[in-house]
Coordinates of all heavy atoms in Angstrom, one line a residue:
A246 N 23.7 -48.0 11.4 CA 22.8 -49.0 11.9 C 21.4 -48.3 12.1 O 21.3 -47.1 12.2 CB 23.3 -49.6 13.3
E247 N 20.4 -49.1 12.1 CA 19.0 -48.6 12.4 C 19.0 -48.2 13.9 O 19.9 -48.6 14.7 CB 18.0 -49.7 12.2 CG 17.9 -50.2 10.7 CD 17.3 -49.1 9.8 OE1 16.6 -48.2 10.3 OE2 17.6 -49.2 8.6
Y248 N 18.0 -47.3 14.2 CA 18.0 -46.8 15.6 C 17.9 -48.0 16.6 O 17.2 -49.0 16.4 CB 16.7 -46.0 15.8 CG 16.5 -45.6 17.2 CD1 17.2 -44.6 17.9 CD2 15.6 -46.4 18.0 CE1 17.0 -44.4 19.2 CE2 15.3 -46.1 19.3 CZ 16.1 -45.1 19.9 OH 15.9 -44.8 21.3
S249 N 18.7 -47.8 17.6 CA 18.7 -48.7 18.8 C 19.2 -48.0 20.0 O 20.1 -47.1 19.9 CB 19.6 -49.9 18.5 OG 19.8 -50.7 19.7
E250 N 18.6 -48.3 21.1 CA 19.1 -47.7 22.4 C 20.5 -48.1 22.7 O 21.2 -47.4 23.5 CB 18.2 -48.2 23.5 CG 16.7 -47.6 23.5 CD 15.9 -48.0 24.6 OE1 16.4 -48.8 25.5 OE2 14.7 -47.6 24.8
N251 N 21.0 -49.2 22.0 CA 22.3 -49.7 22.3 C 23.4 -49.0 21.4 O 24.6 -49.2 21.6 CB 22.4 -51.2 22.1 CG 21.6 -52.0 23.0 OD1 21.5 -51.6 24.2 ND2 20.9 -53.0 22.6
N252 N 22.9 -48.2 20.4 CA 23.8 -47.5 19.6 C 24.6 -46.5 20.3 O 24.2 -46.0 21.4 CB 23.1 -46.8 18.4 CG 22.6 -47.8 17.3 OD1 23.1 -48.9 17.3 ND2 21.7 -47.3 16.5
V253 N 25.8 -46.1 19.8 CA 26.7 -45.1 20.5 C 27.0 -44.0 19.5 O 26.9 -44.2 18.3 CB 28.0 -45.8 21.0 CG1 27.7 -46.9 22.0 CG2 28.7 -46.5 19.8
P254 N 27.4 -42.9 20.0 CA 27.8 -41.8 19.1 C 28.8 -42.2 18.0 O 29.8 -42.9 18.3 CB 28.4 -40.7 20.0 CG 27.7 -40.9 21.3 CD 27.5 -42.4 21.4
Y255 N 28.6 -41.8 16.8 CA 29.5 -42.1 15.7 C 30.8 -41.3 15.9 O 30.8 -40.1 16.2 CB 28.8 -41.8 14.4 CG 29.8 -41.8 13.2 CD1 30.3 -43.1 12.8 CD2 30.1 -40.7 12.5 CE1 31.1 -43.1 11.7 CE2 30.9 -40.8 11.3 CZ 31.4 -42.0 11.0 OH 32.3 -42.1 9.9
H256 N 31.9 -41.9 15.6 CA 33.2 -41.2 15.6 C 33.7 -41.0 14.2 O 34.3 -41.9 13.6 CB 34.2 -42.1 16.4 CG 33.8 -42.4 17.8 ND1 33.5 -41.4 18.8 CD2 33.5 -43.6 18.5 CE1 33.1 -42.0 19.9 NE2 33.1 -43.3 19.7
P257 N 33.5 -39.8 13.7 CA 34.0 -39.5 12.3 C 35.5 -39.5 12.2 O 36.2 -39.2 13.1 CB 33.4 -38.1 12.0 CG 33.3 -37.5 13.4 CD 33.0 -38.6 14.3
A258 N 36.0 -39.9 11.0 CA 37.4 -39.9 10.7 C 38.0 -38.4 10.8 O 39.2 -38.3 11.1 CB 37.7 -40.4 9.4
R259 N 37.1 -37.4 10.6 CA 37.6 -36.0 10.7 C 36.4 -35.2 11.1 O 35.2 -35.4 10.7 CB 38.1 -35.6 9.3 CG 38.7 -34.2 9.2 CD 40.1 -34.2 9.8 NE 40.7 -32.8 9.6 CZ 41.6 -32.5 8.7 NH1 41.9 -33.5 7.8 NH2 42.1 -31.3 8.6
H260 N 36.6 -34.2 11.9 CA 35.6 -33.2 12.3 C 36.3 -31.8 12.2 O 37.5 -31.7 12.3 CB 35.0 -33.5 13.7 CG 36.0 -33.2 14.8 ND1 36.8 -34.2 15.2 CD2 36.2 -32.2 15.6 CE1 37.5 -33.8 16.2 NE2 37.2 -32.5 16.5
F261 N 35.4 -30.8 12.0 CA 36.0 -29.5 11.9 C 36.3 -28.8 13.3 O 35.5 -28.9 14.2 CB 35.0 -28.6 11.1 CG 34.8 -28.9 9.7 CD1 33.6 -29.4 9.2 CD2 35.9 -28.9 8.8 CE1 33.4 -29.7 7.9 CE2 35.7 -29.2 7.5 CZ 34.5 -29.6 7.0
K262 N 37.4 -28.2 13.3 CA 37.7 -27.4 14.4 C 36.9 -26.1 14.3 O 36.9 -25.5 13.2 CB 39.2 -27.1 14.5 CG 39.6 -26.1 15.7 CD 41.1 -25.8 15.6 CE 41.5 -24.9 16.8 NZ 42.9 -24.5 16.8
V263 N 36.3 -25.6 15.4 CA 35.5 -24.4 15.4 C 36.4 -23.2 15.8 O 37.1 -23.3 16.8 CB 34.3 -24.5 16.3 CG1 33.6 -23.2 16.4 CG2 33.4 -25.7 15.9

Side-chain angles (χ1 to χ4, degrees):
E247 297 292 336
Y248 169 80
S249 171
E250 292 182 357
N251 297 322
N252 286 344
V253 296
Y255 172 66
H256 303 301
R259 187 76 175 260
H260 68 274
F261 291 117
K262 179 182 178 182
V263 176

